[in-house]
Amino acid sequence: MNPLLQSILSAEFGFAIFRVMTPLLFAAIGVSISHLAGTINISMEGTMLVSAFVGVLVSAFTNSLILALLAGVAAGVAMGAILSYFHLRLKADIILAAIALNMFASGITVFLLFLATGDKGSSSSLKSMLFPEVHIPLIKSIPVLGTIISGHNIMTYGAFLAIILFYIITFKTPLGLRIRAVGQNPHAAESVGINVNRIRMWALMLSGFFGAFGGLYLSMGYVSWFARDMTAGRGWIAIAAATLGGYMPLGTFLASLLFGAVNALAIYFASLQIPSELIALIPYLATVIALTIYSAQAQKKRHRKVEEAKQVGTIKETT
Amino acid sequence: MEKFLLKYFTLIRVIIAIGIGIVISVFLIYLTSQEPGFSLRSFLLGPFLTRSRLAHLFETASPIIFCGLAIAVAFQAKQFNIGAEGSLYLGAAVGTAFAVSTNMPAFIHIPLVLLIAGLTGALWSFIPGILKAKWKASELVSSLMLNYVAYFLGLYLINYHFRDKEAGFLVSFKLPETAWLARFIPDTRIHYGIILALVLAVLVYYFLYHTTAGYEIRSTGFNERFARFGGISVFKVIILCQVILGFLAAFGGMTEVMGIHRRFLWQSSPGYGWDGIIVAIIGRSHPLLIVPASFFLAYMRVGGRVLNLMSDVPAEMVMVIQSIIILLITAEAFLSQWKYRITVRQAERGGAA
């Protein structure tokens, strides 16, 4: 059999997809929840970076995974809070403010990394910790499936929980209802007494919360160190994944899975004789194509709705 | 005095934001440096102290002006295309490829190479433009993704087809001398690119504020619906400003290759596209203000480099400062209370008189 096909069909490839998908999924949930409130958070790149850094630093200095987790999550939430303060209180454009925050994250992490280790590249001199891998009893001994599903970092399973949590928050809680209301029509929401800015603040902080886990996984699971700009565009791919997934739980999950698969594929291709540059661009190109298809379809849907509304209107007029 | 404050409120706000940024940098330096006085001097005065650093200021500002102008045109139409980086990279790579594989007299070669680079950038930037105009695909996401695609394509082109294997590291062949932009100040690398940048700043200003197309771009940015009702083709405007953006960015990148490096040596994307966003924000998307904004950013950058060399404070401090400055400038409500109070006081006085 063709060696490429063979490696793609192997169980290890299935495992790699989930591994690659994990940070994307967390960040994509973060983007989705902020978009549902009508304030899209494109600072996931920076949020993940700060959380990844804080996690490594705290775990290295306290030797406590729990503290590292808490600090990393707090840092992510803080990023969301800063963005919401600048956007909601100080009326900054949310896109520009988020771009500035990404820049801030990129600078401050290297700045502090240098102060902490004397190195600007990575934290390899620090003894930071890793989140544990989980080998699921019984399932791990099932042949192919076991290899794919079992033995992942706990954060990967956390990502699945995060999707469920995202679903529950959005559709089963009053906050979720308000988030959706605010996102669909802020004026209507305001007229029934919802504090629009407060709901958006919560949504942005929640997006920071989810993004933080993606960052923590990167530096304490995916690899075991922090490196400058280690998010490497994942925060941006997450935006594409969230867009593609229609900002809904299942869609976001499937889109992240797709991007995970394409990225994993790029890694596999690279081991063959094809120029790595041409392989590396595949996921980004795929994102553009997927985004275009999605947007075109959404536009068609809008047109159809307008047409239907027009028809209903004419029927009413004639009767 | 108060009238003056009101009239130049936006500008004053920018200056205050910059001031706060510098105060924070002083604070950071005192917090981290063993010899804060010396470090501070290196950072703030360093860029002016030697001839080569002063030259460096101009060299650094030059590509930033091009990208700032590029982004400013898009921002004026409220298009959040951040694809200047990709257009610049791919444009410069294709321009380099063309320059090293052709031979002609300089007076044709130079403009032709610049044109080819610019057109490549324009074409590249046309993609998010058409996707946005036709299908409403977010230009933010698509231009960002295309940055990566452009980067890898450019890298592939240079590393696989135009690589100078004798150079010892991954760079392209050296450009033939007929495609060099001359350096006009001895012992520096200041080249004619900076003159082109200044000329373009005036041209873009004229275009935006004194032509119909420029007016259409600004109207679309001001109020898209209003522009539509006024008979402006928003479709055309979106495409036009994206194409201009790509052209200017790639043109600027090419001047950098032709004037400074004389070969393509960017193994990682140089980041000028992002710098363009920074100066477009600081310069409030006004082409003529892009120039001082670019020099300010260049000053911070050179200061950061001096700091890095001479002291124990890492240059990344500059990134922190510049992001804080941008946050403050984009925060519309920052100092608006103050403006409000002055306006009220003015109005009351007016009423009394």
Side-chain angles (χ1 to χ4, degrees):
Chain A
M1 197 163 57
N2 180 319
L4 174 68
L5 211 60
Q6 204 166 0
S7 51
I8 289 175
L9 290 176
S10 71
E12 284 77 18
F13 185 69
F15 183 86
I17 290 178
F18 286 119
R19 199 175 109 85
V20 176
M21 176 205 70
T22 304
L24 294 179
L25 182 52
F26 277 123
I29 294 173
V31 175
S32 295
I33 207 158
S34 64
H35 185 273
L36 286 180
T39 44
I40 191 160
N41 181 357
I42 66 158
S43 72
M44 278 300 131
E45 190 79 2
T47 305
M48 287 203 283
L49 209 52
V50 167
S51 293
F53 176 71
V54 169
V56 160
L57 211 62
V58 172
S59 81
F61 286 114
T62 63
N63 277 322
S64 158
L65 263 184
I66 299 291
L67 281 181
L69 179 74
L70 289 178
V73 169
V77 173
M79 288 288 280
I82 294 171
L83 183 63
S84 73
Y85 179 75
F86 271 93
H87 175 55
L88 301 171
R89 282 295 296 277
L90 294 181
K91 306 287 173 222
D93 182 280
I94 194 162
I95 304 286
L96 297 181
I99 289 176
L101 266 185
N102 285 333
M103 218 178 281
F104 176 79
S106 179
I108 196 85
T109 48
V110 178
F111 185 76
L112 293 176
L113 180 69
F114 178 75
L115 294 184
T117 66
D119 187 344
K120 280 188 185 179
S122 83
S123 71
S124 46
S125 60
L126 291 177
K127 271 206 157 69
S128 60
M129 303 168 79
L130 279 170
F131 290 109
E133 284 171 3
V134 180
H135 296 274
I136 312 168
L138 291 177
I139 288 183
K140 73 173 177 199
S141 43
I142 303 173
V144 177
L145 198 66
T147 322
I148 298 176
I149 293 180
S150 178
H152 281 286
N153 192 281
I154 191 164
M155 282 289 181
T156 301
Y157 302 108
F160 284 92
L161 281 182
I163 271 292
I164 297 169
L165 188 63
F166 173 36
Y167 172 78
I168 293 174
I169 291 175
T170 312
F171 293 103
K172 301 288 172 199
T173 66
L175 178 66
L177 180 68
R178 287 186 185 138
I179 285 177
R180 284 179 293 137
V182 164
Q184 269 169 20
N185 192 337
H187 298 297
E190 204 161 11
S191 71
V192 293
I194 296 175
N195 185 335
V196 174
N197 277 359
R198 178 160 308 158
I199 298 299
R200 287 187 163 160
M201 182 191 81
W202 280 112
L204 285 172
M205 280 163 65
L206 270 172
S207 85
F209 170 83
F210 284 111
F213 285 94
L216 284 167
Y217 169 72
L218 275 182
S219 63
M220 302 172 69
Y222 194 77
V223 293
S224 57
W225 59 83
F226 174 85
R228 70 181 299 160
D229 295 322
M230 72 183 307
T231 40
R234 287 183 180 84
W236 299 108
I237 298 181
I239 298 170
T243 313
L244 187 65
Y247 310 102
M248 286 292 136
L250 185 64
T252 302
F253 168 66
L254 291 176
S256 303
L257 197 65
L258 176 73
F259 282 109
V262 178
N263 272 296
L265 207 61
I267 298 171
Y268 267 72
F269 264 112
S271 62
L272 299 166
Q273 286 304 313
I274 308 163
S276 60
E277 287 87 354
L278 293 185
I279 303 310
L281 63 80
I282 293 175
Y284 302 103
L285 196 61
T287 308
V288 177
I289 295 169
L291 173 75
T292 308
I293 295 172
Y294 173 81
S295 308
Q297 226 121 42
Q299 198 181 25
K300 224 187 262 170
K301 219 185 274 173
R302 269 198 306 273
H303 276 302
R304 208 181 308 137
K305 268 188 189 159
V306 171
E307 288 302 316
E308 277 169 16
K310 272 185 192 161
Q311 274 178 1
V312 172
T314 47
I315 292 167
K316 263 187 193 154
E317 273 166 31
T318 47
T319 47
Chain B
M1 176 64 194
E2 289 191 333
K3 268 204 184 120
F4 173 82
L5 278 179
L6 279 182
K7 193 171 173 202
Y8 293 102
F9 178 72
T10 330
L11 193 65
I12 291 166
R13 232 170 53 97
V14 169
I15 292 168
I16 290 178
I18 289 172
I20 292 176
I22 289 177
V23 169
I24 294 176
S25 67
V26 172
F27 175 74
L28 281 179
I29 286 176
Y30 270 86
L31 206 68
T32 54
S33 180
Q34 298 290 335
E35 338 161 67
F38 176 74
S39 302
L40 192 63
R41 226 177 8 255
S42 315
F43 177 55
L44 292 179
L45 299 178
F48 303 119
L49 288 183
T50 69
R51 185 183 152 90
S52 73
R53 283 184 203 152
L54 208 56
H56 213 67
L57 205 61
F58 284 86
E59 294 159 22
T60 311
S62 170
I64 300 179
I65 296 175
F66 285 104
C67 288
L69 291 172
I71 302 280
V73 173
F75 275 9
Q76 287 265 6
K78 286 253 157 58
Q79 296 297 305
F80 286 107
N81 181 322
I82 34 186
E85 186 75 26
S87 289
L88 182 148
Y89 196 84
L90 190 63
V94 171
T96 303
F98 175 78
V100 299
S101 42
T102 50
N103 243 324
M104 45 186 96
F107 72 95
I108 316 177
H109 212 187
I110 292 173
L112 208 57
V113 170
L114 282 170
L115 195 68
I116 286 193
L119 287 179
T120 307
L123 201 66
W124 192 251
S125 189
F126 172 76
I127 305 172
I130 189 84
L131 296 183
K132 166 75 184 275
K134 217 167 157 84
W135 293 296
K136 287 213 157 48
S138 158
E139 77 279 19
L140 181 79
V141 178
S142 65
S143 65
L144 213 122
M145 293 298 128
L146 287 171
N147 277 351
Y148 289 99
V149 179
Y151 166 65
F152 288 117
L153 276 180
L155 208 56
Y156 168 75
L157 186 69
I158 296 299
N159 285 355
Y160 280 81
H161 298 287
F162 294 94
R163 184 183 158 197
D164 188 353
K165 293 195 176 71
E166 280 157 22
F169 31 91
L170 282 168
V171 291
S172 79
F173 292 111
K174 208 159 178 72
L175 260 54
E177 278 188 40
T178 49
W180 287 9
L181 279 177
R183 299 168 181 166
F184 59 89
I185 297 178
D187 301 324
T188 70
R189 297 192 297 172
I190 300 178
H191 56 89
Y192 281 104
I194 185 98
I195 307 283
L196 287 171
L198 296 177
V199 170
L200 272 172
V202 176
L203 284 180
V204 171
Y205 165 75
Y206 183 83
F207 168 73
L208 279 175
Y209 289 90
H210 296 283
T211 66
T212 318
Y215 169 77
E216 289 182 348
I217 287 179
R218 286 184 298 124
S219 312
T220 305
F222 190 66
N223 188 335
E224 193 183 311
R225 276 193 194 169
F226 182 77
R228 231 184 263 276
F229 284 130
I232 292 171
S233 163
V234 174
F235 185 93
K236 211 180 76 189
V237 166
I238 292 175
I239 302 229
L240 181 67
C241 60
Q242 305 283 30
V243 167
I244 294 176
L245 174 144
F247 185 88
L248 287 175
F251 192 95
M254 198 65 229
T255 62
E256 184 77 356
V257 173
M258 293 161 77
I260 299 276
H261 312 300
R262 268 102 194 240
R263 51 167 101 220
F264 190 95
L265 44 64
W266 292 318
Q267 285 296 309
S268 62
S269 213
Y272 295 131
W274 295 101
D275 296 343
I277 296 179
I278 299 173
V279 296
I281 293 171
I282 297 178
R284 307 296 286 180
S285 305
H286 191 291
L288 296 181
L289 291 178
I290 296 295
V291 176
S294 303
F295 274 101
F296 169 71
L297 188 63
Y299 161 70
M300 297 271 289
R301 288 284 159 77
V302 177
R305 252 169 267 159
V306 177
L307 198 59
N308 215 22
L309 279 175
M310 312 281 289
S311 77
D312 45 359
V313 184
E316 278 73 14
M317 185 194 82
V318 172
M319 275 178 95
V320 176
I321 303 302
Q322 77 198 24
S323 60
I324 291 173
I325 292 175
I326 297 172
L327 273 175
L328 290 177
I329 293 178
T330 52
E332 295 291 338
F334 169 60
L335 296 182
S336 66
Q337 278 291 322
W338 180 54
K339 183 187 180 186
Y340 176 74
R341 243 174 290 152
I342 296 176
T343 316
V344 168
R345 218 178 307 153
Q346 281 272 318
E348 279 172 352
R349 208 170 298 155

